[in-house]
Amino acid sequence: MTIFIKQACIVDPSSSLNGQITDIFIENGIIKQIGKKLSLSADKEISIEGLHVSPGWMDVFSNFADPGYEFKETLETGAQAAAAGGYTDVIVIPNTNPVVHNKANIEYIIQKSRSLPVNIYPAGAVTKNTEGKELAEMFDMQISGAIAFTDGIHSIQSSGLLVKALQYVKAFDGIIIQLPDDKTINPQGLMNEGIISTQLGLPGKPAIAEELVIARDIKLARYAESKIHFTGISTKRSLEYVQGGKLQKVEKDSVGDSFGGSASVTCSVTPYHLFFCDEDMQDYDTNLKVDPPLRSKEDRDALRKAMVDGTVDCIATHHLPHEFDSKTLEFEYAKYGMVGLETTYAVLNTCLENVSQERLVELLSTNPRKIFKKEIAGIRENEKAILTLFAPKQKWTVKGSDLRSRSKNSPFIGKELTGKVIGIITKEQLFLNQ
């Protein structure tokens, strides 16, 4: 199959062609020619005003609910949603039924997703059944193809267990993804604790529940000299802790104990924590019930700033699909999470007006590939074509029919966003939205 992309602006910080408007000719999944005004015929020609092309994007935290919850999402519909959102690679979390906590479950996902339009990488559970009691068979899962280890939507509570896991994955240079939340602090909290939660009469979840876990886990990662990735970071203080963790200084805690050692600390934020804050919850929209919860305006502004200064390494969509019945009920009983793969780029491009396209591509493609050790496919001749096509200036209003996911729990339906994904090229295939 041959594909001819005309007059596209290349966005690839690692390429000498970055920022140039050029033609790209692809044959059998390989970039054969890049140049101005090429005159070639191809099976498929793509010519769209304002077209940009970048290395394929990678998501680090999605739930495709397969096996066990196929009424919410399947590997097939999840892959369709990812492709529609410009993602060529997705890490799926182990919160399925059965939980992905042994090599048979890892192999199931790898085999079943072979023929899908995007690359799906399973993350194995750190603990059996993600219960936080006993370590799972991480070494076996790693050999079978687990890209990372996480208990997904369940934060690992036990310090002793987490430090063992960090020491264990160090043997094969593995990484642990942690969603920071101390479950013992106001476990019945439904939204951020603050003035808004009081006004709405909803129990609050204080920011300290997240910040305590981050401060603790950075120290544990240093002690183990291992790698940890925090996802869904949502407060200003959390960002300060992560920044300190990256500087790897020897810190003294309140009782004067020094914690030495060096660790690799990285973090990701979600698009919705950058777009919304707790003030947007006045209507009790259950699609805005997420974990960690939407924080204050001040926290949101700090997250936006951290996108520019480099504190945030990458974007995690936290794509958590839920069927109609899990979201259309009283706020208290609604499940946490929203779908996000299809809208992530447009949401970022809309709310981060001062962030360059190069920086967005770093957050969506370059950095997640570095953190999780996946090849960084540059835009060069004779390289594999792993590309995302998008138009940053194109405005569109999100409709339910734009969401390829099996579930439609998105607060962005009906909102006008700027920046549209045109499609992806990967696995020698072209997937277009139009």
Side-chain angles (χ1 to χ4, degrees):
M1 183 182 180
T2 52
I3 304 163
F4 188 23
I5 303 168
K6 289 180 109 169
Q7 295 293 290
C9 177
I10 291 177
V11 188
D12 180 4
S14 68
S15 168
S16 57
L17 299 166
N18 185 36
Q20 292 187 29
I21 293 176
T22 180
D23 298 343
I24 303 170
F25 181 72
I26 297 160
E27 188 177 3
N28 299 331
I30 305 289
I31 299 170
K32 288 292 187 191
Q33 262 181 287
I34 301 175
K36 309 259 182 189
K37 295 184 180 160
L38 299 177
S39 52
L40 297 157
S41 62
D43 301 334
K44 185 75 189 170
E45 197 171 283
I46 302 165
S47 176
I48 290 166
E49 197 182 335
L51 181 65
H52 286 51
V53 59
S54 78
W57 303 341
M58 178 174 184
D59 182 38
V60 302
F61 198 92
S62 275
N63 192 355
F64 285 177
D66 186 352
Y69 302 108
E70 288 88 351
F71 52 93
K72 293 177 188 284
E73 192 81 285
T74 64
L75 290 170
E76 290 79 8
T77 57
Q80 295 281 329
Y87 285 95
T88 56
D89 304 80
V90 179
I91 296 178
V92 292
I93 57 174
N95 307 101
T96 51
N97 186 17
V99 168
V100 180
H101 64 179
N102 59 33
K103 67 182 205 174
N105 302 130
I106 294 284
E107 284 161 6
Y108 164 81
I109 290 172
I110 289 173
Q111 292 302 332
K112 198 175 173 191
S113 60
R114 278 238 154 92
S115 59
L116 298 178
V118 303
N119 295 305
I120 295 175
Y121 305 110
V126 175
T127 66
K128 287 185 181 168
N129 291 317
T130 65
E131 286 169 354
K133 292 175 183 166
E134 162 183 15
L135 288 182
E137 303 160 3
M138 289 189 279
F139 187 71
D140 282 355
M141 288 191 276
Q142 191 261 340
I143 286 177
S144 293
I147 191 171
F149 296 93
T150 177
D151 274 0
I153 55 175
H154 303 301
S155 182
I156 300 164
Q157 301 296 294
S158 161
S159 306
L161 201 70
L162 182 59
V163 83
K164 274 201 185 91
L166 285 162
Q167 288 167 328
Y168 193 87
V169 299
K170 190 184 166 190
F172 48 79
D173 197 27
I175 185 166
I176 285 181
I177 303 173
Q178 170 79 305
L179 183 85
D181 179 26
D182 187 323
K183 298 282 187 208
T184 61
I185 296 178
N186 230 10
Q188 73 281 9
L190 299 174
M191 66 174 291
N192 182 49
E193 183 181 84
I195 295 166
I196 308 290
S197 65
T198 309
Q199 285 172 350
L200 297 180
L202 291 171
K205 185 89 180 164
I208 195 169
E210 173 182 319
E211 293 154 4
L212 276 174
V213 170
I214 290 177
R216 176 200 78 171
D217 292 357
I218 288 171
K219 288 179 175 177
L220 296 178
R222 278 198 191 137
Y223 173 75
E225 297 186 347
S226 192
K227 290 181 180 176
I228 192 158
H229 177 86
F230 296 106
T231 188
I233 288 217
S234 65
T235 80
K236 187 178 176 185
R237 180 64 57 84
S238 295
L239 289 166
E240 288 166 9
Y241 286 155
V242 167
Q243 218 164 9
K246 287 183 174 193
L247 294 172
Q248 295 185 348
K249 353 175 245 231
V250 174
E251 285 183 347
K252 283 190 165 50
D253 67 12
S254 55
V255 280
D257 290 332
S258 290
F259 284 84
S262 67
S264 164
V265 177
T266 51
C267 75
S268 53
V269 301
T270 73
Y272 52 77
H273 281 115
L274 294 162
F275 194 92
F276 296 110
C277 64
D278 57 3
E279 292 171 26
D280 295 302
M281 299 184 71
Q282 311 277 7
D283 296 335
Y284 299 92
D285 180 357
T286 56
N287 286 324
L288 294 177
K289 185 181 177 184
V290 289
D291 183 32
L294 300 174
R295 302 288 185 190
S296 68
K297 210 176 215 167
E298 186 193 1
D299 287 322
R300 183 188 67 184
D301 293 344
L303 289 178
R304 288 179 177 181
K305 193 163 159 276
M307 298 288 285
V308 184
D309 69 21
T311 306
V312 172
D313 297 282
C314 59
I315 298 296
T317 65
H318 283 225
H319 176 87
L320 298 173
H322 290 298
E323 77 288 8
F324 183 84
D325 292 350
S326 285
K327 280 291 189 180
T328 315
L329 71 174
E330 295 89 338
F331 195 90
E332 184 184 347
Y333 302 116
K335 293 265 198 291
Y336 290 97
M338 65 173 80
V339 291
L341 283 164
E342 299 98 327
T343 51
T344 292
Y345 170 72
V347 167
L348 297 175
N349 198 47
T350 305
C351 69
L352 303 171
E353 290 167 347
N354 58 339
V355 176
S356 67
Q357 295 300 313
E358 279 82 4
R359 176 67 183 142
L360 286 181
V361 167
E362 264 178 23
L363 291 158
L364 290 164
S365 176
T366 319
N367 291 351
R369 288 176 186 280
K370 277 183 189 158
I371 294 166
F372 295 98
K373 299 189 300 204
K374 283 290 151 201
E375 63 173 329
I376 299 170
I379 301 179
R380 290 180 288 276
E381 289 185 356
N382 300 316
E383 281 271 355
K384 241 192 246 173
I386 304 172
L387 307 174
T388 298
L389 313 171
F390 56 104
K393 297 263 171 25
Q394 202 169 313
K395 288 189 180 335
W396 61 300
T397 301
V398 183
K399 302 191 294 288
S401 57
D402 293 322
L403 305 180
R404 303 282 177 91
S405 169
R406 177 161 275 190
S407 300
K408 310 293 178 198
N409 53 309
S410 169
F412 295 105
I413 291 174
K415 284 198 167 24
E416 186 182 68
L417 301 174
T418 306
K420 188 131 175 57
V421 171
I422 306 300
I424 59 167
I425 298 170
T426 183
K427 293 184 165 185
E428 299 184 25
Q429 291 176 339
L430 170 68
F431 181 102
L432 287 179
N433 276 330
Q434 274 110 327

